[in-house]
Amino acid sequence: MTVPIAKLSFWGVRGSTPTVDPATWRYGGNTPCLELIAPDGTQFILDCGTGLRMLGSRWAAPNGGKVPETHIMVTHYHWDHIQGIPFFSPLYVQNNEFHFYSFRSKYLGRDSLKQVFEAQMALPYFPVDMSAMNAKRKFKEVDGGDSFTVGENKITARWLNHPQGCLGFRIETPAGTVAYATDNEPGDAKLDENLRELAAGADIFINDAQFTPEQLETTRKGWGHSSWLEGARVARQVEAKTLVLFHHDPDSTDRMVDTILRQAREEFDSVFAASEGMVITLGAPGDNVQAHMPGTRTALRREAQFQAKVCGVTEGGKDFEEATVVRDISLQGALISLKHLPRLQSELQVTMEAPGVDGVQSMHLRGYVVRIDAGAEKGHVAVGVVFTD
Ligand SMILES: [Zn+2]
Ligand SMILES: [Zn+2]
């Protein structure tokens, strides 16, 4: 018997507008786009922010081309959720076929999403004519409260509290359930209930975490977004298993998102901050939810043999200290072999010993776990760390 596995990839996690500020590179600057490959091979794409371009450039027909079905859910028509459409190269390939789902906007009327396509590519906003988009496109209107099935998967849409409306989607696959609730603000009883219904018992609950709880109460009230604290509260209430903080503010630096994540982990046990390139596997034997991060270091790297002392927090939440050797270093990070299994996206204190003119000197660095792989040595894991200061 094969175990059904679903794979959820984060191609864009930033809210409102893309960022190219180096202080945001670690979590990433592309706007919302997620991809969920269900166990039956159906490919779901959630939102068409600038992350969609990256997905298009790594395009492979779903299920090896055997069932080339791609279903694209667009939550709403704000720029950050549609801006990737004209740059999604598979739309310009004749044999591809896409099923789009979105709601009828009262500002646009019938065929809202089709109109969004046309408007985005109208003269003088875009150099290429709409006729160059050769792929077959089917548009389906969905309303809050609708439920439908695609392959073996059940999709439910619910309205969320956001200016001009936004749909949240719950996708139930045989490997587990993903609730995608970007762009929503707490405070409307009926719509808050919708959010809880979407997230009820979900394996992965992706929620808007753009603002801090303080901003949400004061300067950013009414802007249509939520906070890590609201996400943690809802996750606890509805017994969602893992919370993913999403739609990071363009003004939030990586260090600020680190702090947000740390605070959220004090409130709820299993939390990740959505990070560009992050992949979550659902339904894998042993651990139902497994997160993996991409290789993020692009800087010059060199093999090294530095003695080091490492302090951090394990997967189980316990503090640890370990003496080891740093085997590879760059100006951004290092690869460290550890017996302990540190928690992904947690902080590590690394103290390295380096021979100096006045004897052995130590270099203290604070790092952040971005990647964990099987180690070269038995009983060890290879831990990728990005230095933050
Ligand atoms: Zn947004
Ligand atoms: Zn929005």
Side-chain angles (χ1 to χ4, degrees):
M1 200 184 85
T2 53
V3 187
I5 286 180
K7 204 178 97 179
L8 176 69
S9 307
F10 292 78
W11 296 93
V13 302
R14 187 69 52 179
S16 306
T17 189
T19 61
V20 288
D21 180 346
T24 63
W25 74 271
R26 188 152 44 84
Y27 287 98
N30 279 301
T31 62
C33 181
L34 273 64
E35 178 194 21
L36 175 69
I37 307 283
D40 64 0
T42 304
Q43 180 190 35
F44 294 99
I45 295 174
L46 300 162
D47 274 331
C48 299
T50 59
L52 185 65
R53 185 184 66 85
M54 307 281 289
L55 169 53
S57 63
R58 313 251 175 98
W59 185 251
N63 207 19
K66 271 178 253 148
V67 188
E69 286 216 3
T70 302
H71 297 260
I72 305 182
M73 280 67 190
V74 178
T75 59
H76 65 306
Y77 307 113
H78 287 160
W79 281 117
D80 51 326
H81 300 260
I82 59 166
Q83 218 166 3
I85 292 172
F87 301 94
F88 184 49
S89 54
L91 277 172
Y92 298 87
V93 178
Q94 199 153 22
N95 288 331
N96 289 339
E97 185 175 321
F98 297 96
H99 301 260
F100 286 92
Y101 302 78
S102 64
F103 65 87
R104 182 185 293 206
S105 160
K106 71 172 178 187
Y107 302 94
L108 297 169
R110 267 178 76 97
D111 296 327
S112 289
L113 186 58
K114 221 168 157 188
Q115 290 186 52
V116 166
F117 268 69
E118 284 156 11
Q120 272 190 320
M121 297 180 76
L123 303 174
Y125 301 113
F126 198 70
V128 179
D129 192 77
M130 189 71 190
S131 62
M133 235 184 219
N134 283 323
K136 275 197 223 74
R137 303 181 300 277
K138 292 184 176 164
F139 295 91
K140 191 171 185 286
E141 228 166 59
V142 278
D143 202 350
D146 284 0
S147 237
F148 52 96
T149 54
V150 176
E152 299 172 358
N153 316 287
K154 184 183 170 201
I155 295 98
T156 306
R158 290 274 185 276
W159 289 115
L160 297 172
N161 189 27
H162 194 61
Q164 300 101 49
C166 177
L167 286 177
F169 290 98
R170 174 185 174 95
I171 304 179
E172 294 169 49
T173 80
T177 295
V178 175
Y180 177 56
T182 186
D183 297 59
N184 73 88
E185 178 166 354
D188 177 300
K190 194 168 159 283
L191 298 173
D192 288 354
E193 180 55 30
N194 283 354
L195 178 65
R196 286 192 291 270
E197 281 173 28
L198 286 174
D203 295 281
I204 306 289
F205 168 37
I206 301 150
N207 194 51
D208 185 329
Q210 179 151 355
F211 300 137
T212 63
E214 299 74 33
Q215 284 177 316
L216 191 57
E217 271 176 28
T218 57
T219 53
R220 298 289 185 264
K221 199 175 165 64
W223 289 35
H225 296 288
S226 192
S227 75
W228 63 265
L229 183 58
E230 285 299 328
R233 273 185 194 145
V234 174
R236 218 173 23 230
Q237 273 172 20
V238 303
E239 295 179 8
K241 301 197 181 61
T242 292
L243 168 68
V244 179
L245 307 174
F246 189 70
H247 205 271
H248 308 306
D249 193 272
D251 288 333
S252 288
T253 61
D254 292 331
R255 300 285 295 278
M256 286 156 85
V257 179
D258 290 346
T259 305
I260 285 170
L261 175 61
R262 202 161 48 237
Q263 290 171 320
R265 280 179 169 169
E266 284 167 17
E267 285 292 318
F268 191 71
D269 206 35
S270 181
V271 189
F272 292 106
S275 188
E276 211 167 282
M278 185 164 94
V279 177
I280 297 181
T281 309
L282 273 166
D287 200 351
N288 192 37
V289 168
Q290 291 175 359
H292 302 275
M293 306 282 268
T296 44
R297 289 184 303 141
T298 49
L300 272 176
R301 50 195 286 182
R302 291 289 181 273
E303 283 183 18
Q305 289 284 334
F306 290 117
Q307 298 289 336
K309 192 181 86 179
V310 178
C311 305
V313 186
T314 65
E315 190 63 44
K318 292 210 168 61
D319 289 341
F320 73 86
E321 194 179 310
E322 180 177 339
T324 184
V325 176
V326 171
R327 303 196 174 279
D328 158 310
I329 191 164
S330 77
L331 287 180
Q332 283 176 344
L335 190 70
I336 305 172
S337 169
L338 288 179
K339 285 197 279 268
H340 289 94
L341 177 63
R343 175 181 274 196
L344 191 65
Q345 295 188 320
S346 71
E347 194 177 280
L348 283 186
Q349 310 280 347
V350 181
T351 309
M352 282 185 275
E353 288 179 359
V357 276
D358 304 320
V360 175
Q361 297 186 340
S362 57
M363 173 161 67
H364 301 281
L365 288 160
R366 193 147 68 115
Y368 181 86
V369 179
V370 293
R371 190 180 172 86
I372 300 171
D373 287 320
E377 299 159 84
K378 198 165 167 275
H380 285 66
V381 284
V383 178
V385 173
V386 169
F387 294 128
T388 49
D389 66 330

PDB file of all heavy atoms in Angstrom, residues 76 78 80-81 162 183 225 247, ligand 2:
ATOM      1  N   HIS A  76      -8.356  36.975  -4.706  1.00  0.00           N
ATOM      2  CA  HIS A  76      -8.948  38.289  -4.975  1.00  0.00           C
ATOM      3  C   HIS A  76      -8.062  39.022  -5.972  1.00  0.00           C
ATOM      4  O   HIS A  76      -7.043  38.483  -6.408  1.00  0.00           O
ATOM      5  CB  HIS A  76      -9.185  39.073  -3.684  1.00  0.00           C
ATOM      6  CG  HIS A  76      -7.945  39.448  -2.914  1.00  0.00           C
ATOM      7  ND1 HIS A  76      -7.002  38.532  -2.519  1.00  0.00           N
ATOM      8  CD2 HIS A  76      -7.507  40.649  -2.443  1.00  0.00           C
ATOM      9  CE1 HIS A  76      -6.042  39.158  -1.847  1.00  0.00           C
ATOM     10  NE2 HIS A  76      -6.334  40.438  -1.800  1.00  0.00           N
ATOM     11  N   HIS A  78      -6.414  42.077  -5.840  1.00  0.00           N
ATOM     12  CA  HIS A  78      -5.376  43.060  -5.500  1.00  0.00           C
ATOM     13  C   HIS A  78      -4.092  42.683  -6.238  1.00  0.00           C
ATOM     14  O   HIS A  78      -3.817  41.512  -6.482  1.00  0.00           O
ATOM     15  CB  HIS A  78      -5.163  43.102  -3.987  1.00  0.00           C
ATOM     16  CG  HIS A  78      -6.297  43.772  -3.252  1.00  0.00           C
ATOM     17  ND1 HIS A  78      -6.544  43.597  -1.919  1.00  0.00           N
ATOM     18  CD2 HIS A  78      -7.253  44.619  -3.712  1.00  0.00           C
ATOM     19  CE1 HIS A  78      -7.605  44.325  -1.571  1.00  0.00           C
ATOM     20  NE2 HIS A  78      -8.063  44.944  -2.642  1.00  0.00           N
ATOM     21  N   ASP A  80      -1.006  42.300  -5.687  1.00  0.00           N
ATOM     22  CA  ASP A  80      -0.028  41.313  -5.209  1.00  0.00           C
ATOM     23  C   ASP A  80      -0.482  39.866  -5.443  1.00  0.00           C
ATOM     24  O   ASP A  80       0.319  38.955  -5.298  1.00  0.00           O
ATOM     25  CB  ASP A  80       0.339  41.549  -3.730  1.00  0.00           C
ATOM     26  CG  ASP A  80      -0.846  41.686  -2.799  1.00  0.00           C
ATOM     27  OD1 ASP A  80      -1.891  42.224  -3.219  1.00  0.00           O
ATOM     28  OD2 ASP A  80      -0.731  41.260  -1.630  1.00  0.00           O
ATOM     29  N   HIS A  81      -1.747  39.660  -5.851  1.00  0.00           N
ATOM     30  CA  HIS A  81      -2.252  38.300  -6.067  1.00  0.00           C
ATOM     31  C   HIS A  81      -2.472  37.965  -7.555  1.00  0.00           C
ATOM     32  O   HIS A  81      -2.872  36.859  -7.881  1.00  0.00           O
ATOM     33  CB  HIS A  81      -3.541  38.084  -5.259  1.00  0.00           C
ATOM     34  CG  HIS A  81      -3.293  38.259  -3.795  1.00  0.00           C
ATOM     35  ND1 HIS A  81      -3.127  37.194  -2.933  1.00  0.00           N
ATOM     36  CD2 HIS A  81      -3.088  39.383  -3.057  1.00  0.00           C
ATOM     37  CE1 HIS A  81      -2.864  37.670  -1.721  1.00  0.00           C
ATOM     38  NE2 HIS A  81      -2.832  38.989  -1.767  1.00  0.00           N
ATOM     39  N   HIS A 162     -11.886  41.402   4.079  1.00  0.00           N
ATOM     40  CA  HIS A 162     -10.825  42.113   3.363  1.00  0.00           C
ATOM     41  C   HIS A 162     -11.480  43.137   2.436  1.00  0.00           C
ATOM     42  O   HIS A 162     -12.532  42.842   1.866  1.00  0.00           O
ATOM     43  CB  HIS A 162     -10.003  41.084   2.564  1.00  0.00           C
ATOM     44  CG  HIS A 162      -8.701  41.613   2.058  1.00  0.00           C
ATOM     45  ND1 HIS A 162      -7.703  42.068   2.898  1.00  0.00           N
ATOM     46  CD2 HIS A 162      -8.221  41.763   0.797  1.00  0.00           C
ATOM     47  CE1 HIS A 162      -6.679  42.458   2.161  1.00  0.00           C
ATOM     48  NE2 HIS A 162      -6.970  42.286   0.886  1.00  0.00           N
ATOM     49  N   ASP A 183      -4.773  37.447   3.346  1.00  0.00           N
ATOM     50  CA  ASP A 183      -5.550  38.691   3.327  1.00  0.00           C
ATOM     51  C   ASP A 183      -6.882  38.622   4.080  1.00  0.00           C
ATOM     52  O   ASP A 183      -7.955  38.566   3.470  1.00  0.00           O
ATOM     53  CB  ASP A 183      -5.770  39.127   1.863  1.00  0.00           C
ATOM     54  CG  ASP A 183      -4.458  39.441   1.161  1.00  0.00           C
ATOM     55  OD1 ASP A 183      -3.609  38.534   1.097  1.00  0.00           O
ATOM     56  OD2 ASP A 183      -4.266  40.571   0.700  1.00  0.00           O
ATOM     57  N   HIS A 225      -5.783  43.113   7.170  1.00  0.00           N
ATOM     58  CA  HIS A 225      -4.795  42.065   7.442  1.00  0.00           C
ATOM     59  C   HIS A 225      -4.817  41.611   8.895  1.00  0.00           C
ATOM     60  O   HIS A 225      -5.486  42.203   9.735  1.00  0.00           O
ATOM     61  CB  HIS A 225      -3.398  42.538   7.030  1.00  0.00           C
ATOM     62  CG  HIS A 225      -3.319  42.777   5.556  1.00  0.00           C
ATOM     63  ND1 HIS A 225      -3.325  41.739   4.656  1.00  0.00           N
ATOM     64  CD2 HIS A 225      -3.333  43.923   4.840  1.00  0.00           C
ATOM     65  CE1 HIS A 225      -3.314  42.249   3.431  1.00  0.00           C
ATOM     66  NE2 HIS A 225      -3.315  43.561   3.511  1.00  0.00           N
ATOM     67  N   HIS A 247       2.165  36.253   4.065  1.00  0.00           N
ATOM     68  CA  HIS A 247       1.871  37.617   3.604  1.00  0.00           C
ATOM     69  C   HIS A 247       2.644  38.624   4.474  1.00  0.00           C
ATOM     70  O   HIS A 247       2.084  39.556   5.045  1.00  0.00           O
ATOM     71  CB  HIS A 247       0.345  37.873   3.689  1.00  0.00           C
ATOM     72  CG  HIS A 247      -0.176  38.922   2.740  1.00  0.00           C
ATOM     73  ND1 HIS A 247      -0.226  40.252   3.075  1.00  0.00           N
ATOM     74  CD2 HIS A 247      -0.703  38.837   1.500  1.00  0.00           C
ATOM     75  CE1 HIS A 247      -0.770  40.936   2.075  1.00  0.00           C
ATOM     76  NE2 HIS A 247      -1.058  40.103   1.100  1.00  0.00           N
TER      77      HIS A 247
HETATM   78 ZN    ZN B   2      -5.514  42.141  -0.632  1.00  0.00          ZN
END
